[in-house]
Amino acid sequence: EKRSVTQIEKNGYPDSIYINAAKIFQGIHTEKNKDRMLVQYGDNSESPMMAFKDEHSRRVSYELAFNALKYQDLLEQILLDSSAYPCYSIPDELTSLLVVMLYDLQDRKFQERKIFDGEELVAEVQEVGDYLYRYTTKLAAALARCRIKHDALSIEYFVPETIWKQEQRASALPLCVWINTFKISLEDAIKDLEMKGLTKVESVSDFDHYTFAVDQHCHDVLVFPSSLREELLNLDLFTDCKLLLQ
């Protein structure tokens, strides 16, 4: 299961992830003044979200939506500069899906997405994915022009300053993790983490990289350095929902 999670993240996501991320993005995207509104987002409020397969799918859907939000201006500029937008074969109601899938496409270095065995395909996702892939060369060129124009080594340059400051603050905070006592005890969770190479310390002030501590006030909560976030979320303790990120 751990391997399948890693594989999905390298090759794209199941169609349901894109649909849910687009639905989330539709509700949080930045509304612009009419004189600046070059990309139109239709109303897809009536389209339902698909059921999340598990907690990992929920987390990935929200991360994908918020990453699209962080780079909304850049993604819209890429669509316009590449002439991939406006697209008359894709209605405005699917613009959120277009933007979300474009973020993922550039994150995969414009490589084709893999279809996973047993995946439930969604027609809208297949349509938008095929459309973007036809424009791969122009989209990649538009991104390269933006980076050259702004002398940007990576797209992180385009994160709005307010969001960048929020992320800097958040990245400095320790990670709080609930122990799902229906599935594992505190003692077994500690033992499992130590077998994976982490060291239990007395408090946050003793943190090194591969360390953790038991919260001094809530004994079913563990605390980790923020730098461990991605490694932790790929552990079977998290994919099996024995530990839950707060």
Side-chain angles (χ1 to χ4, degrees):
E1 185 174 1
K2 180 181 176 182
R3 286 194 297 271
S4 67
V5 169
T6 303
Q7 184 183 42
I8 288 173
E9 292 183 344
K10 288 183 177 179
N11 294 285
Y13 304 98
D15 285 13
S16 60
I17 297 288
Y18 294 111
I19 286 291
N20 287 339
K23 181 71 174 179
I24 297 164
F25 177 77
Q26 177 72 18
I28 62 175
H29 75 274
T30 303
E31 293 281 357
K32 299 180 180 178
N33 296 330
K34 290 186 177 180
D35 57 339
R36 295 182 58 231
M37 194 180 296
L38 299 177
V39 175
Q40 303 290 329
Y41 293 89
D43 180 14
N44 67 352
S45 58
E46 295 183 2
S47 63
M49 291 183 70
M50 299 182 69
F52 292 111
K53 178 182 176 183
D54 49 32
E55 186 60 32
H56 172 75
S57 298
R58 180 191 300 273
R59 176 176 63 84
V60 170
S61 298
Y62 275 92
E63 284 185 352
L64 187 54
F66 276 92
N67 279 329
L69 176 65
K70 281 199 303 185
Y71 299 105
Q72 179 180 335
D73 287 345
L74 173 64
L75 296 169
E76 290 178 355
Q77 193 62 53
I78 292 171
L79 286 171
L80 293 166
D81 288 353
S82 65
S83 299
Y85 188 90
C87 169
Y88 301 105
S89 65
I90 295 178
D92 290 345
E93 287 72 23
L94 293 181
T95 299
S96 288
L97 182 61
L98 188 70
V99 171
V100 163
M101 293 189 73
L102 174 57
Y103 170 80
D104 180 58
L105 180 62
Q106 67 77 33
D107 196 41
R108 299 195 319 270
K109 312 300 181 187
F110 296 95
Q111 297 300 308
E112 190 169 8
R113 182 169 72 99
K114 177 182 178 180
I115 303 298
F116 298 94
D117 293 338
E119 177 184 342
E120 181 183 351
L121 300 182
V122 179
E124 292 86 351
V125 174
Q126 297 297 310
E127 178 187 0
V128 171
D130 290 344
Y131 177 78
L132 285 173
Y133 202 68
R134 291 200 300 272
Y135 275 84
T136 294
T137 302
K138 291 183 178 180
L139 291 166
L143 174 58
R145 286 194 296 271
C146 282
R147 288 177 55 183
I148 291 170
K149 178 180 178 181
H150 296 279
D151 195 23
L153 294 176
S154 69
I155 67 167
E156 280 74 16
Y157 172 90
F158 298 97
V159 176
E161 185 176 0
T162 53
I163 295 179
W164 182 82
K165 287 181 177 178
Q166 290 172 357
E167 289 187 335
Q168 289 297 105
R169 286 196 295 269
S171 66
L173 296 174
L175 300 175
C176 292
V177 172
W178 290 97
I179 299 171
N180 184 353
T181 53
F182 290 106
K183 291 193 172 186
I184 193 170
S185 66
L186 169 64
E187 293 75 16
D188 287 342
I190 291 174
K191 187 183 300 182
D192 197 319
L193 289 166
E194 289 178 337
M195 288 177 63
K196 289 177 167 60
L198 283 85
T199 302
K200 180 178 173 292
V201 296
E202 289 303 313
S203 69
V204 172
S205 59
D206 300 319
F207 273 176
D208 195 355
H209 184 53
Y210 289 103
T211 52
F212 68 97
V214 178
D215 188 277
Q216 296 179 359
H217 304 288
C218 300
H219 291 169
D220 56 352
V221 172
L222 301 177
V223 187
F224 297 84
S226 59
S227 57
L228 282 178
R229 180 185 178 89
E230 291 306 316
E231 291 178 75
L232 288 175
L233 291 174
N234 279 319
L235 294 180
D236 53 4
L237 285 168
F238 285 84
T239 57
D240 292 340
C241 295
K242 293 177 180 178
L243 298 183
L244 306 170
L245 184 63
Q246 174 62 42

